Amino acid sequence: SFKMPVWVYIAGAAVIAALIVLFRLRAILAALRRYRRGTGTINEMIVKETNRLIKYCRKKGLDRQANETVRETMTHWSGRLTFLQSEFKVVLGTFEKAMYSSQMLTQEEADRFDSNVKLIRERIG
């Protein structure tokens, strides 16, 4: 009579679970992104993501005064990081439209905003 050790069953279950996660990785990442952004409107998500970008940049060593507006902060950082000037300009313009305009942003504008935020994060490190 042959008996398999318990660890073989545990290892097999772990491998199967890892394969399921691997095949579902794209869906899991999309769900995490939706969870992180919340269920608000596109405008609310843009404002939230801009604040997250500012927090990220501060962690990476870019300074921001407590009394600075988002415009002053982005302008200051654009002058300091000239290679990211156009990206900061797009982020700022989209943020201001989302924050102060009564118009809802389009998905195309949100996608362009996301790609610029992603580029800033990649280049800052």
Side-chain angles (χ1 to χ4, degrees):
S1 82
F2 178 74
K3 291 186 178 182
M4 284 220 253
V6 176
W7 68 268
V8 173
Y9 293 110
I10 294 172
V15 167
I16 290 171
L19 288 174
I20 290 170
V21 168
L22 185 63
F23 289 125
R24 300 288 299 162
L25 188 60
R26 177 178 263 175
I28 291 170
L29 291 175
L32 284 173
R33 250 184 258 114
R34 280 192 307 274
Y35 173 76
R36 186 174 63 196
R37 284 187 175 177
T39 57
T41 65
I42 291 176
N43 288 20
E44 291 169 349
M45 289 185 280
I46 295 294
V47 171
K48 187 175 180 180
E49 286 297 315
T50 302
N51 289 324
R52 287 185 71 234
L53 176 65
I54 290 171
K55 187 176 180 180
Y56 177 83
C57 290
R58 289 186 67 209
K59 283 182 182 177
K60 293 297 181 175
L62 295 174
D63 58 330
R64 179 179 192 222
Q65 303 301 317
N67 60 343
E68 277 186 335
T69 64
V70 173
R71 172 174 280 281
E72 291 169 335
T73 299
M74 297 272 176
T75 303
H76 174 75
W77 291 348
S78 292
R80 186 170 164 199
L81 303 170
T82 55
F83 61 96
L84 290 173
Q85 241 173 8
S86 61
E87 288 82 4
F88 279 124
K89 186 175 183 177
V90 170
V91 169
L92 177 62
T94 309
F95 167 78
E96 288 179 338
K97 185 174 180 183
M99 185 73 176
Y100 304 116
S101 174
S102 60
Q103 295 178 335
M104 290 301 292
L105 289 162
T106 64
Q107 188 61 46
E108 181 182 313
E109 290 171 309
D111 292 341
R112 188 175 41 173
F113 171 86
D114 284 338
S115 65
N116 279 283
V117 167
K118 199 178 288 185
L119 192 61
I120 290 170
R121 286 176 179 260
E122 287 173 3
R123 290 189 178 172
I124 288 177

